[in-house]
Amino acid sequence: MRRWMMVLPLALFLLMAVFLYRGLYLDPAELPSAMIDKPFPEFSLPSVQGDKTLTRADLLGKPALVNVWGTWCISCRVEHPVLNKLAEKGVVIYGINYKDVNADALKWLAEFHNPYQLDIRDEEGSLGLNLGVYGAPETFFVDAKGIIRDKYVGVIDEVVWREKLAAKYQALVDEAKP
């Protein structure tokens, strides 16, 4: 019994060391999402620009990135110029302005340009909650049928786009071709 009491702390230490060592190699941008391979949630929310009500049906028909952003999000400011460049190259991007003041969002889009073909106003965060959003920026890859195929958490910069995300988006585009 005495020998067991001496080995127990060592065993617990080794177990904890293995757990922590494994954590060093996890990618924080790859947070699990229960929404992968599920339909984009139903919603009925106003557009950031204008009084049009947007629904899930507005997202259907072509593959797109759905980018969660906010004017309060410092990382979103870093990401925004890259999204503008992607939109100029033909990447379809829809925005979800998350837990924000609409007047601030309008000012932001006027000042920094608008990469979004649709921009959903989610002031209360209800759509974000249904998507399992942790914060901003987060970007969902949605196919032409409205199924969420992937999710990226963090800033999309040019390197991330080129090395991690461009191929995923292109695969959705290729899949949508007749």
Side-chain angles (χ1 to χ4, degrees):
M1 181 70 163
R2 185 172 173 93
R3 184 178 250 185
W4 172 243
M5 294 300 279
M6 291 178 64
V7 173
L8 183 61
L10 178 62
L12 289 173
F13 171 77
L14 290 174
L15 181 65
M16 194 160 89
V18 167
F19 178 75
L20 293 173
Y21 181 77
R22 182 180 174 273
L24 291 174
Y25 297 96
L26 296 177
D27 185 351
E30 292 182 16
L31 291 173
S33 175
M35 295 303 295
I36 303 298
D37 294 328
K38 293 189 178 159
F40 199 89
E42 293 289 340
F43 67 93
S44 179
L45 291 168
S47 173
V48 170
Q49 298 177 321
D51 294 328
K52 181 179 180 188
T53 298
L54 301 171
T55 67
R56 180 181 183 276
D58 292 306
L59 305 182
L60 303 178
K62 49 190 166 186
L65 304 179
V66 178
N67 178 254
V68 179
W69 68 282
T71 60
W72 47 265
C73 166
I74 296 168
S75 298
C76 297
R77 187 176 293 253
V78 173
E79 177 181 69
H80 203 79
V82 176
L83 296 180
N84 281 318
K85 287 180 185 177
L86 294 175
E88 288 172 10
K89 292 178 182 178
V91 174
V92 176
I93 308 173
Y94 303 136
I96 300 174
N97 183 237
Y98 182 65
K99 293 187 175 182
D100 210 345
V101 176
N102 199 55
D104 294 345
L106 290 169
K107 182 180 175 190
W108 167 292
L109 294 173
E111 185 175 344
F112 300 117
H113 305 291
N114 186 352
Y116 307 114
Q117 290 188 14
L118 295 172
D119 204 356
I120 303 158
R121 187 183 338 165
D122 189 19
E123 290 173 307
E124 302 300 318
S126 60
L127 179 55
L129 181 66
N130 290 339
L131 284 166
V133 168
Y134 293 93
E138 291 187 24
T139 303
F140 294 86
F141 290 71
V142 180
D143 71 14
K145 296 176 184 169
I147 307 298
I148 297 171
R149 295 298 177 191
D150 208 344
K151 175 183 175 182
Y152 182 77
V153 177
V155 173
I156 296 176
D157 60 22
E158 291 179 12
V159 173
V160 167
W161 177 255
R162 184 177 59 249
E163 294 180 5
K164 293 184 178 183
L165 306 179
K168 292 178 183 185
Y169 178 75
Q170 188 59 49
L172 292 179
V173 170
D174 293 344
E175 177 185 298
K177 290 179 182 174

